[in-house]
Amino acid sequence: MGSQAEPAQGVDPIAARQAPLQELPESPEEFLEEAPGIYVVVDLDHNRLRLMDGERTLWEAPVGTGTGLRLESEDEDWHFTTPQGVFQIQYKEEVPVWYLPNWYFIEKGLPIPPDDAPERKVRGQLGIAAVYIGREIAIHGTNHPELLGQRVSHGCIRLHNDYALRLFHNVQIGTPVVIMGGENLEPIDASQVPTPPPPKPPEPDPFAGVSTEELLRRLDVELERADTTTYWVRLTSRLITRGLKDDAIALRGLLARAGTASTRDRNREYSTFLADAFSRGGLRVVVSLARIGEEERKLAAEAIVSATAALHPDILNDPLAPWPTRRVPPTNLGPDGRKGWEALAAAEQAWRERYAGVRRQSAR
């Protein structure tokens, strides 16, 4: 359901996956007092994940979390808990590769191979998408959705594949992840951890052979009726994949639908998908912006800028903040493409002025 995402420019994928887990200085309670922008909350007491926009919940779903069990070897000791605290997304990947850690081989009674051994690389075990917050800790999909809502993992946070794909598009590098609860959970032993059944064979691709025009027509229907399933997510994801590859109709169609959903929350979430498309293919998106109607261009640029700012709460104070116009310098664009860049620049300026006005009001 989509090609592998391109890593951010200059990012080493293996190093990003293995980056140390870095907890932000504020506690979950302190962060949630103000709760700016778009962020993720994982509740370990109830095994639920919520995508938040300020105090509003855009969606929520059950998750699988760490068992709390321990494993010891002669050289290492592992405690399979899901960490608590406030973290940030460090890397994300569609169709992720799992680099098997040492504990995997010890659990299986196998010899531990060298770090760069090919048998450490496994596809398909982390579901359809993953977002990483630190070394060996990710929120990822699963081949066993029947086990969600329980303590079943080695510390990672498992989501149904549809929601893992959704989260992949919702977040960017730097988006906060709040993991809270779990202090009073009763310890469990290995016999209480459910054994996963054999994996089911992959389902056929529902969009194989379906034209881009038909996918856009279906998306219109889903956005209009405030779809409460994840079907609109799968449609949008497939259109992004096609658009970032070579399908100009898909990309222009996605941009032209900014702000057309029937609910505020759906429009807000849809804007994160457009921001994701821009972060992975900025030049294509800027050129596509220039080739849609003026009003559509304005709405799409505003959606990309507002979502990017919401996903990076400290964007105004960060000298390296990923403003869209910084990612695609105008010198790389022809006269036509500059229309898209200028729309983004105008949206950025309007956002800064709005934010400055809010700060002045709150300071009074």
Side-chain angles (χ1 to χ4, degrees):
M1 192 182 297
S3 62
Q4 184 169 322
E6 290 294 326
Q9 186 174 5
V11 173
D12 178 350
I14 297 177
R17 289 188 197 94
Q18 295 299 320
L21 186 67
Q22 296 181 347
E23 185 176 354
L24 299 184
E26 54 192 334
S27 69
E29 292 74 20
E30 290 169 334
F31 179 91
L32 293 174
E33 282 182 6
E34 297 185 359
I38 292 175
Y39 57 98
V40 179
V41 172
V42 178
D43 181 347
L44 298 179
D45 288 331
H46 301 96
N47 285 316
R48 303 286 294 182
L49 180 147
R50 302 192 301 275
L51 181 72
M52 305 296 296
D53 183 10
E55 296 182 351
R56 299 171 67 87
T57 300
L58 296 180
W59 59 263
E60 63 178 299
V63 293
T65 55
T67 60
L69 298 175
R70 288 188 177 275
L71 176 66
E72 296 182 8
S73 71
E74 292 182 359
D75 303 314
E76 295 182 82
D77 177 19
W78 294 270
H79 189 197
F80 299 129
T81 59
T82 300
Q84 299 162 295
V86 183
F87 309 94
Q88 290 178 302
I89 301 297
Q90 299 196 39
Y91 178 72
K92 63 178 193 172
E93 186 177 27
E94 202 173 0
V95 194
V97 176
W98 186 22
Y99 288 81
L100 299 178
N102 288 352
W103 57 254
Y104 174 89
F105 298 95
I106 292 173
E107 278 194 338
K108 303 290 186 183
L110 300 172
I112 298 176
D115 289 346
D116 57 354
E119 58 263 39
R120 283 189 183 266
K121 291 179 63 174
V122 177
R123 290 188 181 273
Q125 294 299 307
L126 301 182
I128 199 167
V131 298
Y132 293 80
I133 62 172
R135 182 179 295 120
E136 298 184 11
I137 299 294
I139 307 172
H140 62 78
T142 178
N143 295 328
H144 300 290
E146 66 278 358
L147 301 182
L148 295 175
Q150 304 178 69
R151 295 158 64 190
V152 292
S153 81
H154 290 83
C156 282
I157 299 158
R158 301 179 186 176
L159 267 173
H160 189 286
N161 276 333
D162 284 349
Y163 284 101
L165 182 68
R166 189 174 191 171
L167 186 69
F168 170 86
H169 292 294
N170 289 152
V171 301
Q172 293 188 28
I173 309 305
T175 301
V177 177
V178 181
I179 305 178
M180 57 192 304
E183 297 90 349
N184 301 314
L185 293 176
E186 293 292 329
I188 62 176
D189 59 49
S191 65
Q192 294 175 285
V193 178
T195 301
K200 299 177 181 178
E203 297 180 358
D205 181 353
F207 301 135
V210 180
S211 70
T212 293
E213 291 82 356
E214 173 61 17
L215 293 183
L216 289 168
R217 187 197 68 78
R218 294 181 190 180
L219 181 59
D220 283 333
V221 172
E222 300 304 323
L223 292 176
E224 174 62 29
R225 73 178 187 182
D227 173 30
T228 57
T229 71
T230 56
Y231 186 55
W232 77 270
V233 170
R234 286 178 280 153
L235 286 168
T236 308
S237 179
R238 176 55 62 88
L239 286 162
I240 288 175
T241 297
R242 291 187 181 184
L244 294 183
K245 186 178 181 182
D246 56 12
D247 190 335
I249 293 175
L251 203 48
R252 293 200 296 265
L254 285 167
L255 293 167
R257 283 156 176 78
T260 65
S262 60
T263 68
R264 170 188 168 185
D265 287 352
R266 182 57 43 76
N267 279 319
R268 182 65 159 165
E269 188 180 355
Y270 187 81
S271 71
T272 68
F273 280 65
L274 298 184
D276 172 62
F278 186 90
S279 72
R280 297 160 60 200
L283 183 58
R284 285 186 182 275
V285 172
V286 167
V287 172
S288 293
L289 277 172
R291 294 174 179 171
I292 59 178
E294 184 176 353
E295 184 60 26
E296 293 171 336
R297 185 185 312 133
K298 179 176 182 290
L299 290 174
E302 289 174 348
I304 291 169
V305 169
S306 66
T308 300
L311 290 161
H312 300 274
D314 200 36
I315 195 167
L316 282 179
N317 301 318
D318 183 356
L320 300 177
W323 291 104
T325 54
R326 289 182 179 175
R327 295 177 178 174
V328 182
T331 53
N332 293 346
L333 302 168
D336 190 30
R338 283 187 66 91
K339 290 181 184 177
W341 190 92
E342 290 166 357
L344 290 168
E348 289 176 6
Q349 182 59 30
W351 190 93
R352 289 186 180 97
E353 291 174 357
R354 263 196 320 274
Y355 185 83
V358 169
R359 286 202 300 185
R360 285 194 297 269
Q361 288 290 335
S362 61
R364 291 177 182 174

